[in-house]
Amino acid sequence: MAFDVPHAGGTVPHAIEVTGLRKRYGDIVALDDVGFTVGPGELFGFVGSNGAGKTTTMRIMLGVLAADAGEVRFDGTPIGRETRARIGYMPEERGLYPKMTVRDQLIYLARLHGLATNDAHAAAENWIRRLGLADRRDDEIQKLSLGNQQRVQLAAALVHDPALLVLDEPFSGLDPVAVDVMSEVLREKAAHGVPVVFSSHQLALVEGLCDRVGIIRDGAMVAVGSIDELTADATTRLRVSVESAPGWADGLEGVRVVSANGGATLLELAPDVDEQAVLRAAMAAGRVTELSRHRPTLAELFRNVVVEGNAQ
Amino acid sequence: MTSAAAVRLVAQRELVLRLRTKWFLIGTLVIIAVMAGYVLLQMSVFGDEDRSRIGFAGQATGLSERVATASAELDIDVDTTTVTDVAAAKAQLSDGALDAVVTGTAAEMRVLVKDGLNPRLRAVLTGLSRQEVLTAKLAEAGVPDPARVMAEANAAQVTVTAIEPNGTEDGQRLAIGAIMAFLLFMSINAYGTLVAQGVVEEKASRVVEILLATIRPWQLLLGKIIGIGLVGLIQLVAIAAAGIALALAADVLTLSGVAVGTLVWGVVWYLLGFFLYAALFAGSGALVSRQEDAQSVLTPVTMVLVVGFLAGFNVMIADADGTAARVLSLVPLLSPILMPGRIAAGDVAAWESALAIGLTLAAIALVTYLGGRIYQNAVLHTGSRMKLAAALRG
């Protein structure tokens, strides 16, 4: 007997490809050739300044907005109404029916996404329990705290067991506990093969959570890749601490002192400079207590490509 | 999911959620209670005037059935009872529990009353007495079967042709028509406004974006209109049926056929009128993103309804079959209120009904196209109020 290992949660891995999206509003170019791919089980962080085009891109993916050009493919075929029903979506502007109870709301949304009545009930109860809303299930949404409304919003995106998650700013407005719950749920969905696309301004969170990121600026993608890939081509920075030898690195060839703070000096090396040579120079100057390769954070990377890009 | 399934789901949500609200039940009950109060008032003013309670004593006891039958033929309501104690019966006459006490034989009836006998009842009793005497005289004259002769004589009737067949019922018919027109106006206005508020609620709470990521705008709009329309229909039928039942039971209303016919036409015209106005209300609602702004865009639609209702209602009351009423009842936005009113109060030719329905259906097609277009273009627009022209262009 062939033994098929079912994917946990019953989901099958899927991939989504966004290619060549363009969108204009009158004279304003909102999107200019936006494209990226999110593979099965991949957590994709979508970052950019306000108004850069993240929400527009996501709304086009959901078919809420029509693109002027470009396409969104799901498992290789252009995305259509049937496929969109399998996306879990959290729009930037949060909202549910204020006068519906948590449970009725989730059942209704599950059924709208094509679940049978019984499955919809079971799924609603499951997410209510998972997200700690059990004692709130028969309350109207408008009577919940903002944090709990956010949890219901996440449940609404997950209740139909989506094959793809598109979440616009899922972490905004969450307390630290809810951030952990949200992160855990996203990791779990990804582990089941679901591609997860989410936007966020909390870059540290994106860096910790995502497999790959895409940075968008003024409607165009300026960087797409894993954080390692994106930071690899950045110039090498070394952090060196040398006891009682101020100015030891001044004048070293191909080395720029970015900052000197007490004994610790942050250096930026030109591409052809050997870090062993720098170490030897440091040891010659005094007792070396620390030497580490300084990896730029996503925030620094973002600042480089977005802020400095804007300055040009 | 199929379109039908999507529309049904949306309609079901609207229906269940709104039927469950407290105000729906309370509102419906209050309206029915007000109507019941009105009917009771009518009853106490006009109700018991014609009803007579007659007691039969002694030999006359056997006459009670014949008196009841003869009275019924003349549309006189009588209650008959048997009286054993004439002295007690007199007391009942004095305090009004009885209107008349009949004693004696059929040929020589004696009637005891408090202060006077209802002239119509007197005619009934006199007629019976005369029949009895005549039957006896016929037998005396040697006629073989006097009862048969009397039966033939009684069967003879005059033929009445009315120049205005419904003339005598005009008052009741006009009342039915006016009440129906008013109910339709109220229902279309109230439930049309609910459609608009529902659209604004979805926009204001932003839930529309989640909905439109899985179903199409027209499915959402149609489901909403059907769901809310059904709630209104249930209320309209409940109120109208309760009103008719109450009025019939209390004898304020005697034209049950006209009333039921009006209700049936009322349902038809409610559906036509609601669909016509719902698309207008929905399109208008879609232009704004906040409940606070809703009133400003709904006012024009409501004004058309109110002005149309007031003008049409007065014209109809004045003369339900006059030229003004006939012309206005063919105008699509007014037909749903005036046509059913005229059908009750006046004489509407079949072609007029058909033409009005045809014109209204055409108007529904046009208005739904425009309203649906505005809705599709404006429903995801957030922020400031959207200009009508921009919403139509898309």
Side-chain angles (χ1 to χ4, degrees):
Chain A
M1 188 181 97
F3 189 76
D4 269 338
V5 178
H7 279 273
T11 38
V12 175
H14 299 285
I16 185 144
E17 297 162 71
V18 176
T19 43
L21 289 190
R22 292 177 193 279
K23 179 76 184 173
R24 299 175 70 94
Y25 293 106
D27 290 338
I28 301 160
V29 178
L31 296 183
D32 182 15
D33 196 20
V34 167
F36 54 84
T37 304
V38 184
E42 195 168 77
L43 274 158
F44 185 81
F46 198 23
V47 299
S49 313
N50 290 326
K54 301 185 298 288
T55 296
T56 305
T57 303
M58 290 182 160
R59 293 178 89 185
I60 289 172
M61 288 170 79
L62 265 294
V64 172
L65 201 65
D68 297 338
E71 64 177 0
V72 180
R73 285 171 167 270
F74 186 71
D75 286 348
T77 50
I79 199 160
R81 197 49 62 174
E82 290 297 316
T83 323
R84 285 198 176 105
R86 300 170 61 202
I87 304 180
Y89 178 41
M90 194 188 263
E92 178 193 32
E93 303 265 23
R94 297 300 145 72
L96 297 164
Y97 285 106
K99 287 177 188 152
M100 260 181 131
T101 64
V102 172
R103 188 169 160 276
D104 286 353
Q105 175 86 69
L106 293 177
I107 291 171
Y108 177 59
L109 287 174
R111 296 200 60 200
L112 268 190
H113 283 88
L115 258 65
T117 314
N118 287 343
D119 298 343
H121 280 255
E125 294 293 355
N126 176 39
W127 283 108
I128 284 171
R129 207 176 46 248
R130 278 286 318 268
L131 296 178
L133 294 163
D135 50 347
R136 288 270 178 261
R137 57 206 281 282
D138 293 319
D139 286 355
E140 288 180 1
I141 306 269
Q142 61 185 358
K143 292 186 178 141
L144 301 183
S145 67
L146 275 179
N148 277 336
Q149 287 186 12
Q150 287 273 48
R151 286 170 193 241
V152 181
Q153 194 86 44
L154 175 64
L158 295 166
V159 72
H160 54 287
D161 193 18
L164 167 67
L165 277 175
V166 177
L167 313 171
D168 204 346
E169 297 285 347
F171 292 99
S172 79
L174 292 187
D175 63 44
V177 178
V179 166
D180 290 345
V181 172
M182 176 79 78
S183 305
E184 186 198 326
V185 169
L186 297 191
R187 278 201 191 94
E188 181 194 302
K189 292 308 282 187
H192 290 175
V194 173
V196 180
V197 182
F198 74 94
S199 66
S200 181
H201 288 301
Q202 284 149 278
L203 299 176
L205 203 62
V206 173
E207 192 167 358
L209 200 58
C210 289
D211 303 305
R212 291 170 69 236
V213 293
I215 303 178
I216 187 169
R217 188 185 72 212
D218 296 336
M221 299 302 292
V222 288
V224 181
S226 69
I227 292 178
D228 284 343
E229 282 164 14
L230 294 182
T231 50
D233 26 326
T235 32
T236 309
R237 287 186 174 194
L238 285 184
R239 184 186 163 85
V240 188
S241 294
V242 184
E243 278 177 4
S244 57
W248 66 271
D250 294 345
L252 282 177
E253 200 174 331
V255 172
R256 188 171 73 86
V257 178
V258 179
S259 66
N261 199 351
T265 314
L266 186 62
L267 306 173
E268 193 172 275
L269 273 58
D272 53 344
V273 175
D274 180 9
E275 56 221 30
Q276 295 302 319
V278 177
L279 175 59
R280 279 192 293 276
M283 287 171 73
R287 190 175 136 78
V288 176
T289 56
E290 181 198 359
L291 183 137
S292 62
R293 185 186 270 274
H294 180 82
R295 291 181 47 110
T297 61
L298 181 60
E300 286 169 314
L301 193 70
F302 181 77
R303 220 169 281 128
N304 282 343
V305 295
V306 172
V307 182
E308 287 166 23
N310 281 344
Q312 282 166 8
Chain B
M1 183 159 48
T2 62
S3 291
V7 170
R8 196 168 52 235
L9 256 178
V10 175
Q12 198 183 339
R13 189 197 86 92
E14 298 287 349
L15 185 68
V16 170
L17 210 67
R18 288 172 201 279
L19 285 182
R20 268 203 317 223
T21 54
K22 261 177 262 152
W23 73 259
F24 175 79
L25 189 64
I26 293 170
T28 309
L29 290 179
V30 165
I31 296 172
I32 291 177
V34 167
M35 236 168 25
Y38 178 76
V39 167
L40 284 176
L41 185 74
Q42 294 277 317
M43 218 167 86
S44 64
V45 176
F46 309 108
D48 271 2
E49 199 173 273
D50 268 358
R51 194 160 202 95
S52 302
R53 280 155 301 245
I54 309 171
F56 293 87
Q59 285 173 291
T61 314
L63 289 172
S64 70
E65 202 160 309
R66 287 171 66 191
V67 170
T69 315
S71 300
E73 275 171 19
L74 290 176
D75 244 353
I76 306 170
D77 292 323
V78 295
D79 291 332
T80 58
T81 53
T82 305
V83 175
T84 46
D85 180 355
V86 177
K90 275 186 184 169
Q92 282 181 296
L93 281 175
S94 297
D95 64 22
L98 279 178
D99 291 311
V101 175
V102 180
T103 56
T105 62
E108 283 175 58
M109 254 186 258
R110 280 185 299 278
V111 182
L112 201 59
V113 296
K114 185 181 179 190
D115 48 12
L117 183 59
N118 176 342
R120 298 174 68 203
L121 195 56
R122 181 188 206 115
V124 169
L125 296 175
T126 310
L128 276 178
S129 198
R130 283 179 184 163
Q131 274 182 28
E132 197 62 31
V133 173
L134 195 55
T135 313
K137 291 295 175 194
L138 285 173
E140 247 172 63
V143 175
D145 189 354
R148 195 178 55 82
V149 175
M150 283 309 296
E152 274 177 29
N154 283 342
Q157 276 187 351
V158 292
T159 306
V160 179
T161 309
I163 298 169
E164 292 178 28
N166 297 318
T168 52
E169 301 162 347
D170 274 356
Q172 271 191 47
R173 291 167 60 109
L174 191 59
I176 297 172
I179 291 171
M180 198 67 218
F182 182 71
L183 276 180
L184 282 171
F185 163 72
M186 291 295 291
S187 301
I188 293 173
N189 191 32
Y191 286 91
T193 305
L194 273 188
V195 170
Q197 283 174 351
V199 169
V200 180
E201 184 199 30
E202 281 170 0
K203 278 194 77 173
S205 71
R206 320 287 186 191
V207 72
V208 68
E209 192 161 335
I210 294 184
L211 303 179
L212 292 188
T214 168
I215 59 173
R216 290 183 172 81
W218 72 261
Q219 294 166 341
L220 179 58
L221 181 57
L222 185 61
K224 181 173 283 296
I225 288 177
I226 290 175
I228 294 179
L230 276 177
V231 180
L233 183 64
I234 290 169
Q235 189 174 48
L236 178 71
V237 170
I239 290 171
I244 291 173
L246 276 168
L248 284 175
D251 274 337
V252 173
L253 179 70
T254 53
L255 303 172
S256 56
V258 174
V260 172
T262 304
L263 177 56
V264 171
W265 276 112
V267 167
V268 170
W269 277 106
Y270 165 78
L271 292 175
L272 289 169
F274 179 76
F275 270 95
L276 181 59
Y277 277 93
L280 278 181
F281 273 110
S284 312
L287 293 176
V288 298
S289 310
R290 300 182 307 161
Q291 293 288 2
E292 299 93 300
D293 299 333
Q295 205 48 54
S296 63
V297 287
L298 293 190
T299 305
V301 185
T302 314
M303 283 306 281
V304 172
L305 249 178
V306 172
V307 170
F309 169 71
L310 289 179
F313 195 75
N314 284 320
V315 164
M316 193 184 84
I317 298 273
D319 182 0
D321 290 325
T323 312
R326 294 182 65 169
V327 171
L328 285 181
S329 67
L330 291 176
V331 177
L333 287 169
L334 304 182
S335 302
I337 293 164
L338 294 188
M339 236 343 150
R342 277 197 59 214
I343 288 172
D347 292 302
V348 178
W351 69 266
E352 284 182 287
S353 238
L355 180 60
I357 291 175
L359 286 174
T360 304
L361 284 174
I364 288 174
L366 179 70
V367 167
T368 306
Y369 171 74
L370 293 175
R373 192 175 164 83
I374 294 171
Y375 180 80
Q376 297 217 5
N377 289 329
V379 73
L380 285 172
H381 175 93
T382 51
S384 62
R385 175 180 161 183
M386 197 169 181
K387 291 269 184 297
L388 186 60
L392 276 171
R393 254 198 327 272

